Amino acid sequence: MNEYWPIVVIVLQLIFLEGILSIDNAAVIGALVSPLPDDQDVPWPAGLQKLGKILDPFLGHQRLAALRVGLLGAYVGRGAMLFLTSFLIHNSWIKLIGAFYLIHLAFDSLEDMTSGDGDEDGEIKPIKVQSFWATVLTVEIMDLIFSIDNVVAAVSLSDMVWVVMLGVGIGILTMSFAAGIFSYAVEREPILKQAAYILVLNIGVELILDQVWHVEIPDLLRFGISVATIVFALAYAHSPFLQKFRFILIWLAQGIGIINELVDWVFIPFKAIFSFIVGLFVRMPKPQPAD
């Protein structure tokens, strides 16, 4: 029994570590899927209707299905990242790309939710509702980005792949339940949507601090920042005194909008080139069958 105790300790550490690192992931995924209906089936494309009839009993309604597909993506993503850990550790640019994506996503969403344009009563705007499949794609991208830090941290605890995968797997399962709870909590406390995207912004900034300036933030401190963000958001939602300072949020949202417009302007040539290349393939004539 004594020889197995170190493995048990490592697995427990991995579960704890996954829980700390995944609080942001659970909150963001919960916020992403919360606008989806919880009483409608998945809108399968015409070519996948038969497959949809088989999977619908397992996936459930749209919100639950998005969570379950996201859970599957998390397992696949973490597994892939485990085998790419060495590559990830020695290629900081991957983390930087993920960091800039997270910051852009946070800015885009926070601008929409806190903009004061035409909002005389000062209420926070709701998040834009995406289609089911667009939400699923966003969830999968988020899972892959979050997987990088989680897996690198997990591998630092043990070099036994099966032990790491066991701990990470249990952690992901716990995270999926947390995301489900968070998505329903958002219905009672809409401010949690904003809090979730502030967490996304926090992570993006933390990644840049780590990769560019080599400022490493301890996991427990990251966990504390995440909890403090959620607590402060809830306090703001229920405190008339704090809401008197909402003009600061509107001012920040306007600044975020300016930054987003500048980023979009910078990427216009790249978008045009991408659209041109895609258009070439779309217009490419199909080969004619031989006589």
Side-chain angles (χ1 to χ4, degrees), residues 25-42:
N25 201 353
V28 173
I29 291 176
L32 283 172
V33 304
S34 62
L36 294 175
D38 59 359
D39 57 356
Q40 297 180 20
D41 293 333
V42 175

PDB file of all heavy atoms in Angstrom, residues 25-42:
ATOM      1  N   ASN A  25     -12.259  28.487 -16.529  1.00  0.00           N
ATOM      2  CA  ASN A  25     -12.819  27.741 -17.662  1.00  0.00           C
ATOM      3  C   ASN A  25     -14.282  27.427 -17.430  1.00  0.00           C
ATOM      4  O   ASN A  25     -15.120  27.610 -18.316  1.00  0.00           O
ATOM      5  CB  ASN A  25     -12.027  26.446 -17.840  1.00  0.00           C
ATOM      6  CG  ASN A  25     -12.178  25.876 -19.232  1.00  0.00           C
ATOM      7  OD1 ASN A  25     -12.960  26.366 -20.023  1.00  0.00           O
ATOM      8  ND2 ASN A  25     -11.434  24.825 -19.524  1.00  0.00           N
ATOM      9  N   ALA A  26     -14.612  26.947 -16.225  1.00  0.00           N
ATOM     10  CA  ALA A  26     -15.998  26.606 -15.905  1.00  0.00           C
ATOM     11  C   ALA A  26     -16.892  27.835 -15.974  1.00  0.00           C
ATOM     12  O   ALA A  26     -18.010  27.784 -16.508  1.00  0.00           O
ATOM     13  CB  ALA A  26     -16.072  25.968 -14.516  1.00  0.00           C
ATOM     14  N   ALA A  27     -16.398  28.950 -15.448  1.00  0.00           N
ATOM     15  CA  ALA A  27     -17.197  30.172 -15.456  1.00  0.00           C
ATOM     16  C   ALA A  27     -17.451  30.666 -16.876  1.00  0.00           C
ATOM     17  O   ALA A  27     -18.572  31.048 -17.235  1.00  0.00           O
ATOM     18  CB  ALA A  27     -16.496  31.262 -14.643  1.00  0.00           C
ATOM     19  N   VAL A  28     -16.405  30.627 -17.708  1.00  0.00           N
ATOM     20  CA  VAL A  28     -16.538  31.112 -19.086  1.00  0.00           C
ATOM     21  C   VAL A  28     -17.458  30.204 -19.896  1.00  0.00           C
ATOM     22  O   VAL A  28     -18.346  30.679 -20.615  1.00  0.00           O
ATOM     23  CB  VAL A  28     -15.147  31.212 -19.756  1.00  0.00           C
ATOM     24  CG1 VAL A  28     -15.295  31.537 -21.233  1.00  0.00           C
ATOM     25  CG2 VAL A  28     -14.314  32.272 -19.063  1.00  0.00           C
ATOM     26  N   ILE A  29     -17.267  28.885 -19.793  1.00  0.00           N
ATOM     27  CA  ILE A  29     -18.122  27.953 -20.534  1.00  0.00           C
ATOM     28  C   ILE A  29     -19.569  28.086 -20.067  1.00  0.00           C
ATOM     29  O   ILE A  29     -20.503  28.079 -20.878  1.00  0.00           O
ATOM     30  CB  ILE A  29     -17.625  26.513 -20.360  1.00  0.00           C
ATOM     31  CG1 ILE A  29     -16.284  26.339 -21.081  1.00  0.00           C
ATOM     32  CG2 ILE A  29     -18.633  25.511 -20.910  1.00  0.00           C
ATOM     33  CD1 ILE A  29     -15.653  24.975 -20.886  1.00  0.00           C
ATOM     34  N   GLY A  30     -19.764  28.223 -18.759  1.00  0.00           N
ATOM     35  CA  GLY A  30     -21.114  28.412 -18.238  1.00  0.00           C
ATOM     36  C   GLY A  30     -21.762  29.657 -18.795  1.00  0.00           C
ATOM     37  O   GLY A  30     -22.948  29.663 -19.147  1.00  0.00           O
ATOM     38  N   ALA A  31     -20.988  30.756 -18.893  1.00  0.00           N
ATOM     39  CA  ALA A  31     -21.522  31.993 -19.451  1.00  0.00           C
ATOM     40  C   ALA A  31     -21.802  31.861 -20.943  1.00  0.00           C
ATOM     41  O   ALA A  31     -22.780  32.398 -21.460  1.00  0.00           O
ATOM     42  CB  ALA A  31     -20.550  33.144 -19.198  1.00  0.00           C
ATOM     43  N   LEU A  32     -20.935  31.137 -21.655  1.00  0.00           N
ATOM     44  CA  LEU A  32     -21.106  30.975 -23.095  1.00  0.00           C
ATOM     45  C   LEU A  32     -22.393  30.218 -23.438  1.00  0.00           C
ATOM     46  O   LEU A  32     -23.108  30.577 -24.377  1.00  0.00           O
ATOM     47  CB  LEU A  32     -19.906  30.238 -23.688  1.00  0.00           C
ATOM     48  CG  LEU A  32     -18.618  31.037 -23.888  1.00  0.00           C
ATOM     49  CD1 LEU A  32     -17.481  30.110 -24.285  1.00  0.00           C
ATOM     50  CD2 LEU A  32     -18.816  32.111 -24.954  1.00  0.00           C
ATOM     51  N   VAL A  33     -22.676  29.140 -22.679  1.00  0.00           N
ATOM     52  CA  VAL A  33     -23.828  28.300 -23.017  1.00  0.00           C
ATOM     53  C   VAL A  33     -25.125  28.800 -22.393  1.00  0.00           C
ATOM     54  O   VAL A  33     -26.205  28.340 -22.766  1.00  0.00           O
ATOM     55  CB  VAL A  33     -23.594  26.831 -22.594  1.00  0.00           C
ATOM     56  CG1 VAL A  33     -22.328  26.291 -23.222  1.00  0.00           C
ATOM     57  CG2 VAL A  33     -23.555  26.682 -21.084  1.00  0.00           C
ATOM     58  N   SER A  34     -25.040  29.749 -21.453  1.00  0.00           N
ATOM     59  CA  SER A  34     -26.248  30.181 -20.741  1.00  0.00           C
ATOM     60  C   SER A  34     -27.326  30.786 -21.654  1.00  0.00           C
ATOM     61  O   SER A  34     -28.523  30.620 -21.375  1.00  0.00           O
ATOM     62  CB  SER A  34     -25.881  31.173 -19.636  1.00  0.00           C
ATOM     63  OG  SER A  34     -25.297  32.348 -20.160  1.00  0.00           O
ATOM     64  N   PRO A  35     -26.972  31.496 -22.766  1.00  0.00           N
ATOM     65  CA  PRO A  35     -28.042  32.027 -23.615  1.00  0.00           C
ATOM     66  C   PRO A  35     -28.773  30.961 -24.435  1.00  0.00           C
ATOM     67  O   PRO A  35     -29.846  31.234 -24.975  1.00  0.00           O
ATOM     68  CB  PRO A  35     -27.299  32.995 -24.558  1.00  0.00           C
ATOM     69  CG  PRO A  35     -25.994  33.269 -23.900  1.00  0.00           C
ATOM     70  CD  PRO A  35     -25.655  32.009 -23.177  1.00  0.00           C
ATOM     71  N   LEU A  36     -28.207  29.757 -24.538  1.00  0.00           N
ATOM     72  CA  LEU A  36     -28.856  28.713 -25.333  1.00  0.00           C
ATOM     73  C   LEU A  36     -30.120  28.218 -24.631  1.00  0.00           C
ATOM     74  O   LEU A  36     -30.161  28.149 -23.401  1.00  0.00           O
ATOM     75  CB  LEU A  36     -27.898  27.537 -25.556  1.00  0.00           C
ATOM     76  CG  LEU A  36     -26.652  27.824 -26.404  1.00  0.00           C
ATOM     77  CD1 LEU A  36     -25.743  26.597 -26.437  1.00  0.00           C
ATOM     78  CD2 LEU A  36     -27.034  28.233 -27.811  1.00  0.00           C
ATOM     79  N   PRO A  37     -31.150  27.860 -25.375  1.00  0.00           N
ATOM     80  CA  PRO A  37     -32.399  27.373 -24.760  1.00  0.00           C
ATOM     81  C   PRO A  37     -32.199  26.030 -24.074  1.00  0.00           C
ATOM     82  O   PRO A  37     -31.419  25.193 -24.548  1.00  0.00           O
ATOM     83  CB  PRO A  37     -33.353  27.258 -25.942  1.00  0.00           C
ATOM     84  CG  PRO A  37     -32.480  27.108 -27.140  1.00  0.00           C
ATOM     85  CD  PRO A  37     -31.236  27.909 -26.844  1.00  0.00           C
ATOM     86  N   ASP A  38     -32.887  25.833 -22.957  1.00  0.00           N
ATOM     87  CA  ASP A  38     -32.799  24.557 -22.251  1.00  0.00           C
ATOM     88  C   ASP A  38     -34.038  23.698 -22.479  1.00  0.00           C
ATOM     89  O   ASP A  38     -34.303  22.755 -21.725  1.00  0.00           O
ATOM     90  CB  ASP A  38     -32.586  24.773 -20.756  1.00  0.00           C
ATOM     91  CG  ASP A  38     -33.704  25.576 -20.112  1.00  0.00           C
ATOM     92  OD1 ASP A  38     -34.650  25.977 -20.835  1.00  0.00           O
ATOM     93  OD2 ASP A  38     -33.646  25.789 -18.888  1.00  0.00           O
ATOM     94  N   ASP A  39     -34.802  24.056 -23.537  1.00  0.00           N
ATOM     95  CA  ASP A  39     -36.008  23.281 -23.848  1.00  0.00           C
ATOM     96  C   ASP A  39     -36.138  22.986 -25.340  1.00  0.00           C
ATOM     97  O   ASP A  39     -37.217  22.657 -25.829  1.00  0.00           O
ATOM     98  CB  ASP A  39     -37.258  24.022 -23.356  1.00  0.00           C
ATOM     99  CG  ASP A  39     -37.375  25.430 -23.939  1.00  0.00           C
ATOM    100  OD1 ASP A  39     -36.444  25.866 -24.662  1.00  0.00           O
ATOM    101  OD2 ASP A  39     -38.394  26.089 -23.673  1.00  0.00           O
ATOM    102  N   GLN A  40     -35.025  23.138 -26.088  1.00  0.00           N
ATOM    103  CA  GLN A  40     -35.048  22.888 -27.532  1.00  0.00           C
ATOM    104  C   GLN A  40     -33.934  21.905 -27.897  1.00  0.00           C
ATOM    105  O   GLN A  40     -32.853  21.924 -27.307  1.00  0.00           O
ATOM    106  CB  GLN A  40     -34.855  24.192 -28.319  1.00  0.00           C
ATOM    107  CG  GLN A  40     -35.968  25.210 -28.104  1.00  0.00           C
ATOM    108  CD  GLN A  40     -35.731  26.482 -28.904  1.00  0.00           C
ATOM    109  OE1 GLN A  40     -34.982  26.492 -29.878  1.00  0.00           O
ATOM    110  NE2 GLN A  40     -36.355  27.570 -28.487  1.00  0.00           N
ATOM    111  N   ASP A  41     -34.232  21.055 -28.899  1.00  0.00           N
ATOM    112  CA  ASP A  41     -33.241  20.074 -29.345  1.00  0.00           C
ATOM    113  C   ASP A  41     -32.139  20.732 -30.172  1.00  0.00           C
ATOM    114  O   ASP A  41     -32.284  21.864 -30.649  1.00  0.00           O
ATOM    115  CB  ASP A  41     -33.924  18.980 -30.181  1.00  0.00           C
ATOM    116  CG  ASP A  41     -34.873  18.131 -29.352  1.00  0.00           C
ATOM    117  OD1 ASP A  41     -34.635  18.017 -28.131  1.00  0.00           O
ATOM    118  OD2 ASP A  41     -35.847  17.599 -29.911  1.00  0.00           O
ATOM    119  N   VAL A  42     -31.056  20.006 -30.356  1.00  0.00           N
ATOM    120  CA  VAL A  42     -29.920  20.492 -31.147  1.00  0.00           C
ATOM    121  C   VAL A  42     -30.353  20.659 -32.611  1.00  0.00           C
ATOM    122  O   VAL A  42     -30.952  19.748 -33.189  1.00  0.00           O
ATOM    123  CB  VAL A  42     -28.746  19.497 -31.071  1.00  0.00           C
ATOM    124  CG1 VAL A  42     -27.608  19.929 -31.989  1.00  0.00           C
ATOM    125  CG2 VAL A  42     -28.262  19.381 -29.627  1.00  0.00           C
TER     126      VAL A  42
END
